[in-house]
Amino acid sequence: MSERIATYAEFWPFYLREHSKPVTRWLHFVGTSLGLGIATVAVRSGRGALIPAALVCAYGLAWVGHFGIEKNRPATFKYPLWSFLSDFRMLGLMAVGQLGPHLERAQAGASLPPAPAASKAV
């Protein structure tokens, strides 16, 4: 029987190692973004029937990455809250080009290239 991770500080590097391949991280990014978009439309339009589509987008694309690419079991099965929070943390860091150092510290495989520097006005 495997031991449970006791703290979020220990979980975060584990989470990143479970997302070691860039394609998996991008599937999470796209799936969660689409899921949030669909959920927003569902709430704003009062069309609750769209919520399952939001979940299928978010979880479906993420699970393709885990089962098909990483060949691992999604952490959300064992650590649902920490995984949920970490998805948004990872996506936020990806969006601002700051995930690389976290991946390196976690020894999580291929790093993301740095975000392009903004050009300076002369």
Side-chain angles (χ1 to χ4, degrees):
M1 187 161 151
S2 66
E3 205 172 301
R4 285 189 58 83
I5 297 171
T7 67
Y8 183 76
E10 294 171 313
F11 177 78
W12 176 240
F14 163 78
Y15 177 88
L16 292 175
R17 287 188 298 273
E18 294 292 293
H19 299 81
S20 66
K21 295 182 173 54
V23 172
T24 301
R25 295 190 296 269
W26 283 107
L27 284 168
H28 274 65
F29 191 95
V30 170
T32 300
S33 299
L34 285 172
L36 285 172
I38 293 168
T40 300
V41 169
V43 169
R44 296 183 110 196
S45 68
R47 297 177 60 200
L50 291 174
I51 296 298
L55 294 172
V56 167
C57 281
Y59 285 104
L61 287 176
W63 290 356
V64 164
H66 285 290
F67 294 121
I69 296 166
E70 297 281 348
K71 308 291 189 215
N72 63 22
R73 187 171 181 248
T76 193
F77 293 158
K78 194 168 183 180
Y79 303 96
L81 180 59
W82 285 351
S83 292
F84 181 78
L85 295 172
S86 295
D87 279 345
F88 286 99
R89 183 178 182 185
M90 181 175 72
L91 272 54
L93 289 167
M94 287 173 71
V96 297
Q98 296 298 311
L99 185 60
H102 293 262
L103 293 169
E104 289 170 17
R105 280 192 300 274
Q107 298 177 348
S111 179
L112 291 173
S119 61
K120 294 182 181 181
V122 181

